[in-house]
Amino acid sequence: MNIKNILARGVFLLSLAVVFFACTEERKPIIPMPVTDLSVENLIPKPLKIIPTNSAFALDEFTGIYTSKNATGFEAVGTFLADKLEKKTALQLPVNDTSLNKIERVIYINQSDSTELKSTEAYQLYINQDSIIINANTAEGAFRGIQTLRQLVPETSNDTLAVHKIWPVPSGKIIDNPSFAYRGSMLDVARHFFSVEDVKKYIDILSYYKINVLHLHLSDDQGWRIEIKSWPKLTEIGGSTEVGGESGGFYTQKDYTEIVTYAAERFMTVVPEIDMPGHTNSASVSYPFLNGNGKTPKLYEGTHVGFSTFDTRKDTVYSFIDDVVREISEITPGPYFHIGGDESHVTKKNDYIYFVNKVEKIVQKYNKRMIGWDEVAIADIDSTSISQWWASEENAKKAVEKGMKVIVSPAKKAYLDMQYDTLSKHGLHWAAYIPVDTAYIWTPEGYGGIPLENILGIEAPLWSETISTIEELEYLAFPRVIGYSELSWSTPENRDWEDYKVRLANQAPFLDRMNVKYYPSPLIDWKKSKFSYETIEKD
Ligand code: TNX
């Protein structure tokens, strides 16, 4: 069969999908296939609808990937899929190569204007015996769809000794769409600095679970981590240390752009945060005029909060902030700029309100939407700004009264830096101990009485006072962040701890292959793979 016929057949199957799934006639598998059931696959986050047809697609060396012509970004999604499948299976699947005669089965990534696709991230996945069709409005939707497909391809082929290896993908239909548009994690690179490579690894694993926002906490008392060309001492001095007095570090604007680009290739938005007017010791050490108390502060390597502030009544402070917001906004394609605003304990209330009002205008001047920690809702801010609820229900309610959207990040439920239990090697416990089940068993929809329409989404922050390596980062983030991906993508009806914990246990082979040193929670019966539970424990 030549490629044109196969593609024509793909489209034909697509248009007749309804007929196909209603059809009672049993099709013969091309190769004897193990019994497969799409409904018991270990997908996270759980898709909206799964309809199994109890047969399988045989992914093998005779499979080709094709994408809609002239659909922006679709070919790149096809290439991304080919690359990830090669890493998993060693198969080198051709992308949009119509000259090959050996192709017998196709994965077709199709741009569709179907009104059944409810958002830019929605997709439909049809898995038949000889074709897989992914329908999406946009490349973003197609990208979410291929994450589901990646999860359906087994870690090992049916028979590792066979000459003709196949990776059976259970047949059926998946209809999917996220509950929340904003599904994020925050990484604090200020208390301890993490390299570009570490951040990329984190992005790569998050995107596998359909998380679409990475919020970078780029400044705090202990460090300033982003190059600002018009204020070079911020990184020269302010970036020179970190908690515990280690060497610190910072991203050049080129490094930051590399992170942003890597995230964008995974349809992930980077949200930069410059925390102010508190949490600004590193900025004031670099440029002492900023704090307005006439003193030159010292570099700070401890973990106390709430002792620093900008001088909120000085024009030069706002010129400085204007430069910072402008330079960062210029290299940030995403729509948001986070101004922090938390724990400004030594800023007078009136000064704080005055400051937030002024900084909001600066952020808007550079065409960004302001996000701030929940305290910002006490200022006279606009309904277009966003409040990130971490501590105060009262502040969250104020935000709702102002018509603002809220990002739900309650510390006692969603803080990745909270210890799992009293034995945890890293983390804090000022808000709570958060074992893997507590992290999953709560309902962000309507949380604390916030109307659903005011909830933009969920974010799980990872503060880094107690962690300084990627292994320590992974210990706190995984597996809990995988649960937050499901809380933000899947509907409440589709979420169930007993069901989730089995699916989570089965993530072990993937996490091991990706060398993610997750915390092997005893609540989960982890699927054994090349690393045993004991090996991970000893690391
Ligand atoms: C509170 S959450 C903070 C951070 C700390 C964190 C530690 C928030 C807006 N502020 O400065 O790192 O607790 O868990």
Side-chain angles (χ1 to χ4, degrees):
M1 195 177 356
N2 72 29
I3 300 302
K4 285 201 185 89
N5 286 344
I6 295 170
L7 284 180
R9 199 156 143 203
V11 174
F12 174 72
L13 278 169
L14 173 65
S15 56
L16 291 186
V18 178
V19 178
F20 176 81
F21 284 102
C23 182
T24 49
E25 188 198 329
E26 270 283 39
R27 287 168 153 245
K28 288 270 170 311
I30 301 150
I31 306 161
M33 207 73 69
V35 176
T36 55
D37 180 354
L38 189 61
S39 63
V40 297
E41 283 293 315
N42 298 300
L43 296 170
I44 302 179
K46 185 98 165 174
L48 195 58
K49 270 192 213 137
I50 304 176
I51 303 151
T53 49
N54 304 314
S55 178
F57 173 93
L59 179 76
D60 66 357
E61 62 182 304
F62 304 110
T63 305
I65 298 174
Y66 299 89
T67 64
S68 281
K69 290 219 172 68
N70 307 322
T72 314
F74 276 62
E75 185 164 81
V77 172
T79 307
F80 186 95
L81 176 64
D83 180 53
K84 292 297 183 186
L85 290 181
E86 181 175 355
K87 293 206 170 82
K88 188 170 195 171
T89 63
L91 291 170
Q92 294 186 328
L93 306 184
V95 179
N96 288 340
D97 187 343
T98 44
S99 68
L100 296 170
N101 287 326
K102 70 167 195 175
I103 299 303
E104 289 173 7
R105 275 168 288 284
V106 301
I107 298 174
Y108 187 57
I109 306 176
N110 177 50
Q111 199 278 327
S112 158
D113 292 326
S114 163
T115 51
E116 282 178 34
L117 295 160
K118 301 284 182 215
S119 74
T120 55
E121 293 190 283
Y123 69 90
Q124 300 160 336
L125 179 59
Y126 297 87
I127 303 157
N128 310 306
Q129 283 174 357
D130 49 9
S131 69
I132 292 179
I133 298 157
I134 297 166
N135 279 332
N137 273 170
T138 65
E140 188 185 12
F143 187 81
R144 304 299 172 230
I146 66 163
Q147 305 318 312
T148 303
L149 179 54
R150 287 174 66 195
Q151 294 191 11
L152 290 172
V153 173
E155 281 291 331
T156 46
S157 59
N158 60 333
D159 179 351
T160 43
L161 297 174
V163 185
H164 181 188
K165 292 189 174 62
I166 62 154
W167 284 258
V169 179
S171 67
K173 173 174 163 182
I174 290 177
I175 310 283
D176 210 0
N177 187 42
S179 291
F180 294 107
Y182 187 112
R183 307 179 302 279
S185 178
M186 186 209 80
L187 181 61
D188 173 6
V189 294
R191 269 52 175 274
H192 280 103
F193 183 65
F194 291 90
S195 69
V196 173
E197 284 317 303
D198 289 346
V199 176
K200 282 186 178 173
K201 185 179 178 193
Y202 193 44
I203 289 173
D204 202 42
I205 311 293
L206 294 180
S207 69
Y208 181 77
Y209 295 106
K210 303 190 178 74
I211 286 178
N212 66 353
V213 176
L214 178 70
H215 163 186
L216 288 175
H217 183 76
L218 291 167
S219 70
D220 213 304
D221 290 319
Q222 300 85 345
W224 186 284
R225 307 297 179 205
I226 174 91
E227 174 190 25
I228 303 296
K229 292 192 197 283
S230 50
W231 299 88
K233 286 188 200 163
L234 287 170
T235 45
E236 270 165 36
I237 298 173
S240 65
T241 191
E242 58 186 7
V243 167
E246 307 292 324
S247 57
F250 65 91
Y251 305 123
T252 61
Q253 293 200 359
K254 197 163 159 273
D255 291 338
Y256 177 81
T257 302
E258 196 179 323
I259 292 172
V260 165
T261 307
Y262 193 81
E265 285 162 4
R266 286 151 185 78
F267 295 88
M268 185 180 286
T269 301
V270 171
V271 176
E273 178 187 349
I274 297 297
D275 201 351
M276 22 185 195
H279 291 274
T280 45
N281 185 75
S282 67
S284 295
V285 176
S286 313
Y287 294 102
F289 79 91
L290 290 168
N291 70 11
N293 63 14
K295 292 185 194 139
T296 302
K298 291 197 177 69
L299 288 167
Y300 183 65
E301 294 158 358
T303 58
H304 291 301
V305 296
F307 61 87
S308 56
T309 185
F310 278 163
D311 182 343
T312 61
R313 300 286 169 172
K314 213 192 251 169
D315 287 346
T316 46
V317 169
Y318 295 102
S319 318
F320 165 85
I321 293 171
D322 193 290
D323 285 336
V324 170
V325 175
R326 175 178 46 79
E327 288 199 30
I328 296 176
S329 296
E330 274 167 7
I331 50 173
T332 301
Y336 307 113
F337 192 102
H338 201 306
I339 67 150
D342 58 314
E343 298 172 321
S344 291
H345 301 324
V346 294
T347 319
K348 291 197 187 79
K349 190 170 173 190
N350 282 347
D351 291 347
Y352 178 85
I353 291 172
Y354 178 80
F355 179 86
V356 172
N357 292 347
K358 290 206 44 128
V359 175
E360 182 191 51
K361 297 289 168 296
I362 297 174
V363 170
Q364 290 172 346
K365 177 172 151 198
Y366 294 108
N367 296 319
K368 300 291 176 197
R369 235 177 124 176
M370 188 187 90
I371 308 181
W373 295 106
D374 63 45
E375 291 94 322
V376 297
I378 67 170
D380 311 316
I381 47 182
D382 222 83
S383 62
T384 56
S385 293
I386 298 156
S387 160
Q388 182 164 11
W389 178 13
W390 67 282
S392 159
E393 188 164 335
E394 199 188 324
N395 287 338
K397 297 231 155 92
K398 277 199 187 105
V400 173
E401 279 159 25
K402 293 186 170 151
M404 297 165 71
K405 295 268 193 232
V406 175
I407 296 167
V408 177
S409 299
K412 57 184 183 217
K413 292 287 180 195
Y415 264 30
L416 289 168
D417 65 318
M418 290 300 116
Q419 293 178 308
Y420 292 93
D421 56 35
T422 55
L423 302 173
S424 290
K425 289 191 277 187
H426 311 286
L428 305 168
H429 55 259
W430 64 264
Y433 289 104
I434 309 185
V436 179
D437 52 354
T438 304
Y440 181 85
I441 307 172
W442 61 285
T443 310
E445 289 87 353
Y447 187 78
I450 305 291
L452 191 55
E453 59 271 23
N454 285 82
I455 301 181
L456 184 63
I458 302 167
E459 187 182 289
L462 179 48
W463 300 99
S464 63
E465 287 93 332
T466 66
I467 54 169
S468 60
T469 65
I470 181 79
E471 289 79 16
E472 293 166 358
L473 180 165
E474 289 168 355
Y475 170 91
L476 286 177
F478 297 100
R480 288 180 293 196
V481 74
I482 300 175
Y484 300 127
S485 92
E486 180 146 305
L487 288 181
S488 55
W489 179 283
S490 311
T491 58
E493 306 79 64
N494 277 334
R495 301 196 303 256
D496 171 66
W497 165 250
E498 292 302 325
D499 175 66
Y500 171 74
K501 81 181 197 196
V502 176
R503 287 181 286 122
L504 180 59
N506 282 284
Q507 302 305 307
F510 167 73
L511 295 172
D512 290 341
R513 180 163 62 82
M514 302 310 285
N515 194 26
V516 172
K517 297 280 191 294
Y518 60 92
Y519 162 63
S521 163
L523 298 174
I524 307 297
D525 185 14
W526 296 102
K527 184 171 173 185
K528 291 252 183 337
S529 57
K530 62 181 175 178
F531 298 107
S532 68
Y533 182 91
E534 288 71 24
T535 320
I536 298 164
E537 268 291 68
K538 274 188 229 124
D539 277 348

